[in-house]
Amino acid sequence: MRDDICLAFEKLEDDAPASLYPGPSGRFVRTPWDRTDHTGVPGGGGMMSVMRGRLFEKVGVHCSTVHGEFAPEFRAQIPGAADDPAFWASGISLIAHLHNPNIPAVHMNTRFVVTTKSWFGGGSDLTPVLDRRRTQEDADTVAFHAAMQAACDAHAAIAPYEKYKKWCDEYFYLPHRKEARGIGGIFYDWHDSGDWDADLAFTQDVGRAFLKIYPELVRRNFGASWSADDREEQLIRRGRYVEFNLLYDRGTIFGLKTGGNVESILSSMPPEVKWP
């Protein structure tokens, strides 16, 4: 999945109109990393894939497989870890910020976690950065929701779309701003239907649905020009993104609390942002 996404994004780098995006096409740079748990014992690692290009201002597509023991202060927050702190976790995480404010930012993550229990989690959500595009009637919003619904509907017996859509709306919300981060998508955690193969197939289809729809959204928007005011609005909206990731995002907290790679975890931060 990581390789397929990177290839699709590099193709978009190549195809974006040179009149709007001068310079050479970007390419992903891969950087391996290793971790130790809180006791100092080696515990897996991962691979960062980051591209800074002419179309993609900053995009990270990261894979990790980590294991070890949760630190004592963190165990009560993880299902199945209170009595036995051993864990194993593997996943892919993606965040994309584009130069063009007409193209929405996006996040996707899928993962499998094992303690004395085991479960899948993940989802994908879209964040338009211009207020005029942050509506449920916008064509990008409609298409993105349709793609996420299709992934759920293909596994309707174990993946209730309306539940996971509502979960996304409630999760990606900034209480202090009283506003949503984006226009939604799907989000799920602690997913264990009792049929591991079915749960894996659903989680894989979430990734495939993302790979099908998001490059289409980029391509349909990358020919649109933008103004200085659009860029200013984009940078301010990115500030909300930073606030959510640092204050509320469980994935960010999990990574930092389990000795993950800081550069990889914080690669979700936009390269430029404003708080006016």
Side-chain angles (χ1 to χ4, degrees), residues 33-46 64-71 85-91 112-115 254 258-260:
W33 59 271
D34 298 307
R35 67 174 284 280
T36 58
D37 69 13
H38 72 286
T39 66
V41 175
S64 63
T65 300
V66 298
H67 55 86
E69 289 189 357
F70 288 117
F87 78 95
W88 183 97
S90 186
F112 181 62
V113 183
V114 180
T115 60
F254 180 91
T258 56

Side-chain angles (χ1 to χ4, degrees), residues 57 98-102 129-132 226-240 272-276:
E57 191 169 354
L98 285 294
H99 283 287
N100 189 334
N102 294 289
V129 297
L130 299 177
D131 281 346
R132 61 180 181 269
W226 65 94
S227 67
D229 286 344
D230 291 336
R231 176 64 172 177
E232 180 77 3
E233 186 177 348
Q234 178 191 43
L235 296 180
I236 293 170
R237 177 60 58 186
R238 284 177 173 180
R240 307 291 205 268
E272 289 190 50
V273 62
K274 283 188 177 181
W275 283 271

Side-chain angles (χ1 to χ4, degrees), residues 54-74:
R54 62 192 187 100
L55 172 66
F56 287 88
E57 191 169 354
K58 182 183 181 185
V59 54
V61 188
H62 309 313
C63 290
S64 63
T65 300
V66 298
H67 55 86
E69 289 189 357
F70 288 117
E73 67 273 14
F74 196 47

Side-chain angles (χ1 to χ4, degrees), residues 220-257:
R220 73 167 60 163
N221 286 291
F222 69 15
S225 60
W226 65 94
S227 67
D229 286 344
D230 291 336
R231 176 64 172 177
E232 180 77 3
E233 186 177 348
Q234 178 191 43
L235 296 180
I236 293 170
R237 177 60 58 186
R238 284 177 173 180
R240 307 291 205 268
Y241 211 98
V242 171
E243 290 170 18
F244 178 87
N245 280 25
L246 293 182
L247 292 173
Y248 306 116
D249 186 66
R250 289 208 304 263
T252 300
I253 295 168
F254 180 91
L256 295 175
K257 292 279 190 178

